[in-house]
Amino acid sequence: QTAGIGDAGRAPVSCGFARACFRGETVSDDRIAAVMEKLGWHDNDRFFCIVLRERKLDRKFSAIARVAIAVTAHDDSRQHCFFDGRALIVCDLSAGAHTRDEVIADVLRNVRDLGTIVSFSSSFFGFGNLAHFYRQALVVERVGRIEDVSSEAYRFEDYAVDYLIARCEEGSTLML
């Protein structure tokens, strides 16, 4: 299941674009540029990803949808979409008025006591790297849940070494 980046009132990114990015398919520079223009973002901006999922996999999207919409509703530097049972929030730190730590604090306030798991990627430059950093957040969650199953939030910086080891074991290209 995939929905366009943005809420119903401002969904400038097509489902096809989101699906292609998250599945690691090649997306043309022209298509990326068009999406960036619609969002008012720039490729040399600094971004990071937030991935939300329900703690119990049999639950519906309700909690993660509420969080994603609450965190992105009034800030054009944050966009969300739903993909593969998760919500992804992409934050353009260069376009926004908040630091990464402030955005994380905002998300954590919204997820408290909802039975939601959230993971945060490191920051990155270049929207074309979105798929990699989406996967980074997924690996951070997987590794973090092994080390601290009771936690509801996993930050890249807390699991950087474990992330590197996991990616090497997978034979993946590393990008920080």
Side-chain angles (χ1 to χ4, degrees):
Q1 179 177 4
T2 305
I5 289 182
D7 61 35
R10 57 183 179 106
V13 181
S14 73
C15 294
F17 175 83
R19 189 176 296 116
C21 280
F22 304 148
R23 290 191 176 148
E25 298 171 14
T26 301
V27 178
S28 73
D29 290 343
D30 290 342
R31 193 165 180 202
I32 292 171
V35 169
M36 298 294 288
E37 184 177 334
K38 285 181 184 179
L39 293 171
W41 294 355
H42 303 93
D43 193 49
N44 60 346
D45 286 355
R46 190 168 148 239
F47 302 94
F48 83 104
C49 295
I50 302 166
V51 177
L52 300 151
R53 80 165 183 82
E54 302 287 350
R55 183 171 291 281
K56 294 184 180 186
L57 297 177
D58 60 341
R59 290 184 52 190
K60 303 248 186 236
F61 272 140
S62 60
I64 62 173
R66 282 196 312 267
V67 172
I69 291 167
V71 169
T72 61
H74 303 291
D75 190 338
D76 288 339
S77 69
R78 303 176 197 175
Q79 297 288 325
H80 72 273
C81 65
F82 302 100
F83 177 76
D84 198 24
R86 293 175 171 84
L88 168 68
I89 301 171
V90 180
C91 301
D92 184 338
L93 294 169
S94 300
H98 302 283
T99 66
R100 181 174 176 271
D101 286 340
E102 290 169 336
V103 174
I104 289 172
D106 185 29
V107 171
L108 293 177
R109 274 191 301 278
N110 280 281
V111 300
R112 193 167 296 129
D113 301 323
L114 288 179
T116 302
I117 295 171
V118 60
S119 57
F120 304 95
S121 77
S122 60
S123 61
F124 61 96
F125 293 93
F127 193 71
N129 293 316
L130 176 62
H132 174 81
F133 288 90
Y134 169 73
R135 286 189 299 276
Q136 182 190 76
L138 295 179
V139 172
V140 166
E141 176 201 327
R142 187 180 76 229
V143 169
R145 293 199 67 203
I146 291 168
E147 292 190 17
D148 186 3
V149 71
S150 65
S151 182
E152 64 184 19
Y154 304 98
R155 296 178 188 212
F156 173 80
E157 54 270 26
D158 296 333
Y159 299 98
V161 172
D162 299 298
Y163 166 78
L164 293 173
I165 292 168
R167 295 298 287 191
C168 288
E169 288 173 348
E170 294 170 357
S172 300
T173 303
L174 295 176
M175 185 185 298
L176 298 178

